[in-house]
Amino acid sequence: MKLIFLDIDGTLTIPGENTPPKSAVDAISKAREKGHKVFLCTGRNPDMLRPLLKYQFDGFISCAGGYVAVGENYDEILYDHPMTDEQRDIALKALHDNGVFCTIEAEGGSWGDENLSDFINSQGEGNSEIERWRKALSENLGIKPMREYDGSPVYKVVIMCQKMSQLDEAKKLLGGEFNFVLQEVKAYNCINGEIINKEFDKGKGVKIICKRFNVPVEETVGFGDSMNDLEMIQTVGKSVCMANGSEALQKIADIVCPAVKDDGLAKAFEDLGLI
């Protein structure tokens, strides 16, 4: 039995969408029928990944490793590590004071700065994270205005700005406790990424699930496309990067498979003998 871990945006689906190619859905079903277990491994919070659960998985690593659940109804919580209220408040103040656009993610919802959509829509094409948020906002996938934030525990902060120097204050205040995971920027004049607690990452999430099912890490396969998949790619026994993914991640991964729109997931499942 293999444990298979799938990033969502840019890997299982086109960034920002919730419908995988039929070939990917079929491959996941066949892999599970063969006795393997398949998990989502994503930066999305549980609320944003929920539309994918109808395709049947054995669990998920969400919030970039901050919230891990398994079981038929995803009700067996293996790990749950939100920011403290103090960390959240320090982060938002330092970022907002420097003109950084933020989206905060809790287990049951997401809240974004109300002028974020204007900023995103002014950027070019090509960055999977920007595309995810552009579509999430334009298609109303549940990101609510920041003024409606209800105080729920926050797991991570998604950030967008134009200059790296805008992050200096937040890095000074939080750099000891949090990683600033910045994506490769192909869109002109835009920096985007996530602030993630150093206590967890996708790779640690993989290990938590391996321990739960008593499966060696060597018997795992991970699929990703961007640098927020790095720890997963470094942890799993066999790593796969999508052809549409980060060039830096492609160099690290064991295998590069065709792009998500070219049925890459299904082809890699077949090549690796998972189906």
Side-chain angles (χ1 to χ4, degrees):
M1 178 178 69
K2 300 281 188 183
L3 303 185
I4 304 166
F5 297 89
L6 307 177
D7 174 53
I8 296 176
D9 295 286
T11 302
L12 178 60
T13 70
I14 293 172
E17 296 189 0
N18 287 320
T19 304
K22 183 179 183 301
S23 62
V25 175
D26 290 345
I28 291 166
S29 178
K30 290 176 182 177
R32 295 182 75 223
E33 288 173 2
K34 197 172 178 179
H36 304 305
K37 292 186 180 296
V38 184
F39 305 86
L40 295 173
C41 187
T42 178
R44 292 193 190 193
N45 61 351
D47 184 62
M48 290 188 73
L49 67 78
R50 196 160 286 121
L52 278 301
L53 296 182
K54 65 183 179 182
Y55 298 108
Q56 300 296 310
F57 297 91
D58 296 287
F60 58 76
I61 298 166
S62 65
C63 302
Y67 188 95
V68 181
V70 299
E72 185 175 351
N73 297 311
Y74 312 105
D75 53 2
E76 183 181 346
I77 311 304
L78 302 182
Y79 189 76
D80 185 3
H81 193 109
M83 302 171 100
T84 66
D85 290 350
E86 181 182 13
Q87 289 170 334
R88 175 201 65 204
D89 292 344
I90 289 172
L92 287 178
K93 185 178 188 305
L95 293 166
H96 285 153
D97 284 352
N98 288 278
V100 179
F101 295 86
C102 302
T103 298
I104 54 177
E105 297 186 5
E107 186 273 333
S110 302
W111 295 265
D113 289 334
E114 293 168 59
N115 53 349
L116 178 59
S117 59
D118 293 336
F119 176 76
I120 293 174
N121 289 333
S122 71
Q123 306 306 310
E125 305 289 334
N127 184 296
S128 68
E129 293 301 301
I130 292 175
E131 287 303 295
R132 176 161 74 93
W133 290 107
R134 187 204 308 271
K135 291 183 179 182
L137 288 165
S138 65
E139 297 174 11
N140 193 27
L141 294 184
I143 300 178
K144 297 175 282 291
M146 191 70 79
R147 68 177 184 275
E148 297 179 8
Y149 172 53
D150 62 6
S152 298
V154 170
Y155 291 81
K156 64 187 180 74
V157 182
V158 176
I159 53 177
M160 294 185 184
C161 58
Q162 293 180 316
K163 297 178 181 179
M164 195 70 72
S165 60
Q166 291 174 265
L167 304 176
D168 288 348
E169 182 180 359
K171 286 182 177 180
K172 181 179 179 180
L173 294 171
L174 297 168
E177 301 171 285
F178 291 82
N179 289 315
F180 284 66
V181 183
L182 304 178
Q183 304 301 318
E184 285 189 0
V185 177
K186 296 179 181 178
Y188 177 72
N189 201 28
C190 180
I191 297 163
N192 69 290
E194 300 170 322
I195 300 177
I196 300 174
N197 200 312
K198 290 183 178 180
E199 291 292 321
F200 58 77
D201 56 51
K202 289 185 177 182
K204 291 178 181 177
V206 168
K207 292 178 180 179
I208 288 169
I209 289 181
C210 284
K211 182 177 180 180
R212 165 63 179 81
F213 291 99
N214 194 29
V215 172
V217 174
E218 292 76 18
E219 296 301 316
T220 61
V221 184
F223 293 76
D225 74 301
S226 67
M227 291 307 289
N228 62 9
D229 297 312
L230 177 62
E231 289 83 4
M232 174 186 68
I233 291 296
Q234 292 175 326
T235 300
V236 294
K238 182 70 70 173
S239 59
V240 185
C241 182
M242 312 303 289
N244 54 273
S246 159
E247 292 181 5
L249 197 70
Q250 290 183 32
K251 293 177 181 178
I252 297 168
D254 296 320
I255 297 169
V256 176
C257 73
V260 57
K261 64 181 179 62
D262 296 324
D263 300 317
L265 208 65
K267 292 174 181 176
F269 269 46
E270 185 172 353
D271 289 346
L272 291 169
L274 300 173
I275 57 178

